[in-house]
Amino acid sequence: RLLPRVRLSPSESISTMTADVASARASSPTSTPPVNNTLDDPANVRRWLQSNHPKQLALLDNFEIELRLGRFSNASSRDGPGGGNTSGAGAQGGTYQYGKERRLVTSRTVELLRAIIGSTRWRNAAQVLTLLRGLGNELHAAGGYREPAIGNVVRRVMYAVRDEADRVSVPSSMGNSDMDKIDELTEEVSSKLRVAPAGKELSLASMLWAHPQHVTMKHSRQQSGDFSDRLRSDSMGSDSGLMTSASKDGSDGAMAIYPPHFYTRRDDLRQSVMEAIQEMMSELEDLHKNINEQATQHIHAGEIILTYALSKTVELFLKAAAAKKRKFSVIVCEGAPHFGGHAMAKSLAEAGIDTTVIHDAATFAIMARVNKVLLPAHAVLANGGLIAPSGSNMVALAAKQNSVPVVTVAGMFKLCPMYPHEGQDTLNDLISPSSVVDGSLMSDPVLSEVEFVNPVHDYIPPQLIDLYVTNIGGFQPSYIYRLLAEYYHSDDWEAFE
């Protein structure tokens, strides 16, 4: 039986089709995939906060907005040395300011973590580590990669959580049952490696290749006939469940697998984590005080100290030595093109310190008269290298040529678990060359063919640094690796990169 045709206008047909599609989507049970709001993946942290803790999500959003807009730098520059350092670094530098209070953004990050961790409903160490990893990814994407101290703070809190979770799980003494488990594990390793143990003894090479960290190497390599690759693929960790981290959907660190006791609910874990965060706040508050107490150990009477550009930490360090009746002279490189050294010299002169400002090009010529070089730090890398204001590498090279010791003054929150695989591009950023060359000259046919590069930082290798003065003491660059093990867990080094 034929049905009569009904003619519809174009508007009526479109509205009818839209209504049919909407009704089909509403009736179809598989049209909208379920949203995972559980705290088991760092990628779900924002959705989890939105569903369960909208106030904490608002705090995170406000922090990210201020971080993207650079309000931390502007607010800190007003509180910088001399109260008016904006005329030094900012007037001619345009957008970037040396001498900004790095401690401000670090303190604000700790306060944000305290507000979110202290008021959210997580149940065990695995969930709070997932929450911290997700927060670190959010802050890193919002501009935290320009300020490595943000990631360092999150890593330190993660280390505190891991340490507290492991502390209660480690037995006070090992009994016979524990030794039996070790023997069983030794036999299991031998069988996995197809090694015939002689008296239950393994070779060093077999035990090293059996470590779970070598399992991940087989996923990143092409299939080859090399013996070492076959040995990695046959390693015990490939099917024994001992892997410490795994990935989902191809993203690094999307799903982290923690030890079983990390999933045990503990009522006292929250209090322990909050106490660790409070200790970090106290450390930041006493940062300059602890560093300045060491000033007389490194600055002596009659010395000539050379420093570069503007740094609040270096400035307070020099003022602390002068306050203890040490008579010395300071030579300040102006730090072109931002000229932060002008504000630095003005503040030191107002404190009664004999101060001289020189051009950056005169650094090598005057280095023979210098007794010590003090450099500021943007970040201290895992190999003992230093990320410092652009132009600092030239000062370090001149000091090395004249056998002048180079001392870096920095807080421990600048200790960054990163290796300089990119050389001078490590943790670096390029800004507008308008502070280097006048834009009106770019119409010149010769200058129009020139590429102007204006980096913010320099990488200084550890061979050019003699000592790091921190709030917990002085250390040589070769000791930095030991400090990394005390402050960060190795599984969290690349958590936000």
Side-chain angles (χ1 to χ4, degrees), residues 133 151-152 155 158-159 382 416-419 480-481 483-497:
R133 188 180 292 266
N152 298 339
R155 292 185 186 96
M158 295 178 69
Y159 179 83
C416 186
M418 178 183 296
Y419 286 91
I480 295 299
Y481 81 97
L483 295 177
L484 288 173
E486 295 178 1
Y487 277 76
Y488 311 115
H489 195 277
S490 57
D491 292 345
D492 303 328
W493 282 18
E494 300 179 358
F496 320 126
E497 300 174 7

Side-chain angles (χ1 to χ4, degrees), residues 92-359:
Q92 302 186 40
T95 57
Y96 186 81
Q97 297 233 357
Y98 286 124
K100 62 181 181 180
E101 178 55 75
R102 300 275 306 284
R103 199 174 51 164
L104 172 67
V105 62
T106 309
S107 301
R108 290 288 302 274
T109 305
V110 177
E111 293 174 358
L112 175 69
L113 296 179
R114 181 173 60 181
I116 294 180
I117 295 176
S119 57
T120 51
R121 293 187 296 271
W122 46 268
R123 295 186 297 272
N124 49 49
Q127 287 190 346
V128 69
L129 286 174
T130 303
L131 175 60
L132 287 169
R133 188 180 292 266
L135 293 176
N137 292 333
E138 288 280 340
L139 298 178
H140 183 81
Y145 58 90
R146 293 190 178 93
E147 181 51 74
I150 295 178
N152 298 339
V153 167
V154 181
R155 292 185 186 96
R156 284 194 59 181
V157 178
M158 295 178 69
Y159 179 83
V161 175
R162 291 177 181 271
D163 184 65
E164 182 63 25
D166 291 333
R167 184 179 61 83
V168 297
S169 64
V170 176
S172 57
S173 61
M174 295 182 62
N176 296 330
S177 59
D178 297 323
M179 297 304 299
D180 294 339
K181 293 179 181 179
I182 293 178
D183 294 338
E184 294 176 1
L185 181 61
T186 303
E187 295 178 356
E188 183 181 359
V189 171
S190 303
S191 61
K192 296 289 184 181
L193 293 175
R194 303 186 182 95
V195 177
K200 295 184 180 180
E201 292 183 0
L202 292 175
S203 66
L204 179 60
S206 300
M207 289 186 291
L208 289 177
W209 285 121
H211 198 277
Q213 69 181 7
H214 297 292
V215 180
T216 57
M217 299 181 65
K218 69 176 183 177
H219 299 291
S220 60
R221 288 196 170 197
Q222 297 289 340
Q223 189 71 21
S224 63
D226 185 65
F227 173 75
S228 62
D229 288 341
R230 294 199 302 272
L231 187 58
R232 291 188 184 97
S233 63
D234 295 336
S235 141
M236 59 166 287
S238 58
D239 54 357
S240 62
L242 295 178
M243 294 179 62
T244 57
S245 62
S247 58
K248 187 169 77 173
D249 299 334
S251 59
D252 296 337
M255 277 288 290
I257 300 179
Y258 303 106
H261 60 273
F262 276 47
Y263 297 90
T264 303
R265 182 169 183 173
R266 285 182 47 201
D267 296 332
D268 61 332
L269 181 60
R270 184 182 302 271
Q271 180 180 357
S272 301
V273 174
M274 298 304 294
E275 290 177 356
I277 295 177
Q278 184 59 40
E279 290 179 1
M280 294 178 59
M281 290 293 298
S282 302
E283 178 182 336
L284 290 173
E285 293 175 358
D286 300 334
L287 179 73
H288 292 308
K289 175 185 176 182
N290 296 331
I291 293 177
N292 295 340
E293 289 177 352
Q294 310 171 54
T296 55
Q297 303 176 16
H298 303 282
I299 299 179
H300 307 286
E303 284 189 336
I304 300 178
I305 310 296
L306 186 140
T307 186
Y308 184 84
L310 176 61
S311 170
K312 184 177 180 63
T313 306
V314 174
E315 176 199 345
L316 295 178
F317 190 75
L318 294 171
K319 288 183 177 180
K324 297 181 180 180
K325 308 303 180 182
R326 291 291 172 90
K327 298 295 182 182
F328 57 92
S329 301
V330 178
I331 300 176
V332 182
C333 300
E334 61 182 0
H338 308 285
F339 301 101
H342 295 174
M344 178 78 161
K346 181 177 181 294
S347 179
L348 293 177
E350 291 176 350
I353 302 176
D354 184 14
T355 308
T356 305
V357 182
I358 65 172
H359 293 289

Side-chain angles (χ1 to χ4, degrees), residues 432-446:
S432 172
S434 59
S435 57
V436 181
V437 60
D438 191 358
S440 61
L441 301 177
M442 297 305 297
S443 59
D444 185 270
V446 178

